[in-house]
Amino acid sequence: MEAPKPEETSHHPPMDQLQGFEYCIDSNPSWGEAIALGFQHYILSLGTAVIIPTFLVSLMGGSSDDKVRVIQTLLFVGGINTLLQTLFGTRLPTVIGGSHAFIVPIISIIHDSSLMQIPDQHLRFLATMRAIQGAVIVSSSIQIILGFSQLWGIFSRFFSPLGMVPVISLVGFGLFDRGFPLAGRCVEIGIPMLILFVICSQYLKNFRTKDLPILERFALLISVTVIWAYAHLTTASGAYKHRPDLTQIHCRTDRANLISSAPWIKIPYPLQWGAPTFDAGHSFGMMAAALVSLIESTAAYIAASRLASATPPPAHVLSRGIGWQGLGILLDGLFGTGTGSTVSVENIGLLGSTRVGSRRVIQISAGFMIFFSMLGKFGALFASIPIPIFAAIYCVLFGIVASVGLSLLQFTNMNSMRNMFITGVSLFLGLSIPEYFREYTALAHHGPSHTSAGWFNDLLNTVFSSSPTVALIVSVFLDNTLDYKDSASERGMHWWVKFRTFRGDGRNEEFYTLPFNLNRFFPPS
């Protein structure tokens, strides 16, 4: 057999920054392009902002008017939190939105016997919302303390590229149930959306108008507009008139009941649902959710740093971001968003799809979130986009984020049986254990932990329902106990160690220095 030619065995050395990004974290496109890209991120953020309140508000006894107000509040506070995070937190281009991690303890609060006994539906909604607010406010202390005390930064020193591969990958892979299962609820629009988005963003990405790769850069806006118009035409033509109710709910564009219920102008304000109520049992479960949100966000920040073509965030910056995220959860509790906050994984994936990691674009999207949340009718118009359209996009964007985690394997030795064991077991258990908890809950209508102590049940059921959290527990434990002294280079620590401190790499100052010369008062460690 003929030996391969040198050009056929080209070596691809590990690279601590992704290449091929036209705009990285601190470079900006023109204002017109930045505004269009910011609006695209805003449209994408609507998916989670609608899904969570749609599911929870009806369980709480709320009406369509209440659902619209919760959606508006979630977007308004999400915009504020995004600005705070990009200005004073990690400074990475991350959108902060509603977190699914809080749903388990929230459902526990909703089913509290003292609240279920309230006969009037609207009064039950208000009482439940105030109970959720109180628990969310208490839970914010977890991230505020761990973040601003730098305790989370100290703990992050146990992370290695090998240990973080399963955690970051499962931030994307762990959301598989929000991809095609949701898109498949209306295949007439879900599948065309998936195909069109892939064609525009990948196969036609080299199509340019005035040197702008318009189809790659704005694939989401173009495909959403086309498929949304198609869905509206099929709805107006009566194609779903005689279909089952469930199909009509997912496919029709006039079933969301958002536009008619939304006020023209409504500015969310703190304590708009009344004074929060506090219960120790509710708070413990919510604190577990805040811990899960912290772990998921940590992985998301590292993924965002790669897709913004930046260096990995130093421990000090990571901890600072968690502290500001804790303040964001405090705002969630004060305003009454109905859930807590975390980093939006889909918006991180969009950084990779557009190859634009600019911080300014995300700050513009935060402006759209705040603006349209106050102009109720206009915001409700965009929020009425059918969920299968968003789910089809998630199939691509969650996959991009998952692949970022896998890309860290380039810094490790995957010819090592130790490394293969840790990676494989962490990935498998990170998927398998939460799936067990979900299946058990679906069949038994309660989690596997079902003792007389409700707070203990919420804690365990919340923690082990999160794929990234399970992966972190398994991978970090194995990575720091299994032959760790003799395997530093195999774990990738020789590459990772210089990014632990702010001054470990000269590029950190460019990416993570606070604005307005605030580093004088808060010097990095």
Side-chain angles (χ1 to χ4, degrees), residues 165-333:
V165 165
V167 186
I168 299 172
S169 295
L170 290 183
V171 165
F173 288 144
L175 299 172
F176 67 88
D177 58 330
R178 289 164 219 163
F180 201 81
L182 285 181
R185 292 181 180 180
C186 185
V187 294
E188 299 95 319
I189 59 177
I191 293 179
M193 179 68 204
L194 175 59
I195 293 172
L196 184 60
F197 183 65
V198 171
I199 289 174
C200 289
S201 64
Q202 302 301 318
Y203 288 95
L204 299 178
K205 63 183 179 183
N206 294 321
F207 177 82
R208 290 177 172 267
T209 302
K210 296 182 179 179
D211 291 329
L212 176 67
I214 191 165
L215 292 180
E216 177 192 43
R217 200 64 51 84
F218 303 107
L220 188 145
L221 275 181
I222 293 169
S223 51
V224 166
T225 301
V226 171
I227 302 300
W228 190 19
Y230 161 68
H232 188 72
L233 285 174
T234 54
T235 299
S237 66
Y240 302 113
K241 272 188 178 179
H242 305 295
R243 301 289 295 276
D245 287 342
L246 201 58
T247 301
Q248 295 195 42
I249 289 171
H250 295 302
C251 295
R252 294 180 68 107
T253 57
D254 58 357
R255 281 299 183 92
N257 198 28
L258 295 177
I259 300 174
S260 59
S261 301
W264 281 103
I265 297 177
K266 181 71 176 181
I267 301 176
Y269 55 92
L271 309 183
Q272 59 186 331
W273 312 109
T277 57
F278 298 90
D279 180 274
H282 296 163
S283 299
F284 274 109
M286 206 68 81
M287 290 167 77
L291 185 61
V292 168
S293 170
L294 180 155
I295 292 169
E296 293 177 351
S297 293
T298 297
Y301 288 134
I302 297 173
S305 69
R306 286 200 48 84
L307 290 176
S309 202
T311 53
H316 168 83
V317 172
L318 197 60
S319 210
R320 186 177 74 195
I322 293 300
W324 277 99
Q325 186 171 296
L327 290 178
I329 294 176
L330 177 62
L331 290 180
D332 288 323

Side-chain angles (χ1 to χ4, degrees), residues 395-445:
C395 292
V396 176
L397 302 185
F398 289 161
I400 290 175
V401 175
S403 68
V404 172
L406 296 177
S407 74
L408 294 183
L409 289 173
Q410 66 184 302
F411 306 108
T412 68
N413 176 18
M414 286 312 291
N415 289 315
S416 163
M417 194 61 222
R418 170 195 182 273
N419 289 0
M420 286 195 287
F421 175 84
I422 293 173
T423 304
V425 171
S426 302
L427 282 170
F428 185 83
L429 291 180
L431 286 170
S432 190
I433 292 176
E435 183 63 18
Y436 164 73
F437 273 71
R438 283 191 289 265
E439 286 187 3
Y440 192 105
T441 303
L443 292 172
H445 302 293

Side-chain angles (χ1 to χ4, degrees), residues 145-166:
I145 293 171
L146 290 177
F148 289 126
S149 68
Q150 292 297 313
L151 285 173
W152 186 246
I154 294 171
F155 180 75
S156 71
R157 294 174 187 269
F158 291 98
F159 300 164
S160 73
L162 180 73
M164 291 310 292
V165 165

